[in-house]
Amino acid sequence: MTNKTTNPTFKASSSQTELPVYKHSDAAEFIRVEDFDLFEMTLWHQGAARDQSNAKAEELRRSGVMSLRNSPHADAAAKCRTYFETLQQAFDCLLSLKEQERLARQNRGQAKGRLIPGWQDFVANAGKGSSKKVDPAHSDTTRSSLERLHSYKVASTGCDVIAMMQRPAWQRLNLAQKELSRRLYLIHNTTLKEMAMNNILCARQLLLSKESANTDVTEQRESSTLSCATQFLISDQWDADESGEKLRGGDSAHAEERTVGWGNMPSPVDY
């Protein structure tokens, strides 16, 4: 006897029938407004959001004023426009950050792939021994290894910054879609209400993917190890540039003398 899997259904309000739950409201289905001043006037003109008790606003609208946003006479159309615009800005911001995260992770992976095998040994031995006995080939390889490590550190930091920015962006979009949901009663035009509902659903779908839940555990562990190993790279290079600025400025007497390699900084292999 074969057990059939029961697919979830919902009761459609339009047909009062049970329909299977389906995937919907992809980010690409978000309906964008290019001209919000015109959109605000449309809300008023189509009677989607009108405030006839505001006589001055009605007078201004009839004379052709496109927007009353941030005006003492702001009407329902101006207020409703704000909810749509806030949602769109928040949606595009989070969507952009997710694309930036994808590219940043790709860049970090490429930087990781360019690391020279055995870079730990090159960095650990940097600056050791007499300068007269330094093998030029070994020195070049060490320098190249440090440069590639630095590139990886920059790429990794870029990923971290984007991840930090996504958290408030996620919260901003969540609040924006809730606010528009609460204000749907202001919209009396079926087409515009359906637009608002679709955009809210698109926002909720995007909010579901707030975490990179599918990140491989091995990748996380390797990334964490490399992140610790490159902890001082940017600070080290900053100090080197600052020291160079002092020398170029003629203050060589007070410029800090730096040793070859990591100087007083802990070596990456210590972490």
Side-chain angles (χ1 to χ4, degrees):
M1 182 175 180
T2 304
N3 292 325
K4 294 183 178 180
T5 303
T6 303
N7 295 318
T9 62
F10 70 100
K11 189 172 184 179
S13 59
S14 57
S15 61
Q16 297 298 310
T17 58
E18 292 290 329
L19 296 177
V21 174
Y22 58 93
K23 185 178 179 181
H24 60 88
S25 305
D26 186 80
E29 296 177 330
F30 191 91
I31 303 172
R32 285 179 175 77
V33 176
E34 298 299 332
D35 186 339
F36 272 103
D37 285 349
L38 180 59
F39 180 72
E40 180 184 331
M41 188 61 170
T42 301
L43 288 169
W44 177 85
H45 191 274
Q46 299 299 319
R50 299 191 68 164
D51 188 2
Q52 295 180 345
S53 62
N54 191 336
K56 183 61 178 177
E58 286 290 312
E59 178 186 345
L60 292 169
R61 292 292 190 193
R62 293 185 189 283
S63 66
V65 175
M66 297 291 286
S67 177
L68 295 176
R69 191 183 186 191
N70 300 323
S71 161
H73 309 294
D75 58 4
K79 295 174 184 176
C80 195
R81 169 252 180 99
T82 299
Y83 304 129
F84 276 90
E85 189 170 5
T86 301
L87 178 65
Q88 180 169 309
Q89 290 174 346
F91 183 88
D92 286 343
C93 177
L94 184 56
L95 192 64
S96 174
L97 283 172
K98 286 185 174 295
E99 176 61 15
Q100 290 178 47
E101 180 189 39
R102 184 187 70 79
L103 295 174
R105 288 170 63 85
Q106 179 179 320
N107 185 40
R108 184 180 65 183
Q110 292 173 347
K112 177 182 173 184
R114 288 193 294 267
L115 293 177
I116 296 175
W119 59 266
Q120 296 94 335
D121 293 333
F122 287 117
V123 174
N125 296 321
K128 291 184 178 179
S130 171
S131 58
K132 295 181 180 179
K133 299 179 181 179
V134 173
D135 181 358
H138 186 275
S139 178
D140 289 343
T141 305
T142 299
R143 181 169 53 253
S144 179
S145 183
L146 283 168
E147 289 172 351
R148 297 185 187 195
L149 269 170
H150 186 92
S151 295
Y152 174 82
K153 176 59 178 176
V154 172
S156 182
T157 300
C159 287
D160 293 341
V161 169
I162 293 171
M164 291 169 63
M165 292 177 67
Q166 279 198 45
R167 296 185 184 100
W170 186 94
Q171 183 181 29
R172 177 187 175 193
L173 179 58
N174 187 39
L175 293 174
Q177 65 89 14
K178 286 182 178 178
E179 189 65 22
L180 182 55
S181 297
R182 287 194 291 265
R183 306 294 179 171
L184 284 175
Y185 69 88
L186 291 173
I187 308 171
H188 308 300
N189 179 288
T190 301
T191 299
L192 291 171
K193 180 170 283 190
E194 288 178 347
M195 169 192 172
M197 293 166 65
N198 171 73
N199 285 0
I200 290 169
L201 290 173
C202 287
R204 291 175 179 174
Q205 194 68 26
L206 185 62
L207 290 169
L208 290 176
S209 57
K210 66 170 183 174
E211 300 293 346
S212 301
N214 297 325
T215 302
D216 185 78
V217 176
T218 304
E219 179 187 343
Q220 286 182 328
R221 183 166 57 248
E222 291 179 353
S223 177
S224 176
T225 302
L226 273 169
S227 181
C228 289
T230 59
Q231 182 177 358
F232 295 99
L233 276 170
I234 291 178
S235 297
D236 192 61
Q237 188 63 40
W238 173 266
D239 289 343
D241 288 348
E242 287 290 286
S243 179
E245 284 293 336
K246 291 178 182 179
L247 290 171
R248 286 190 292 273
D251 192 17
S252 57
H254 299 89
E256 178 186 357
E257 182 180 352
R258 291 188 60 83
T259 58
V260 179
W262 290 92
N264 295 326
M265 289 286 188
S267 166
V269 296
D270 294 334
Y271 288 84

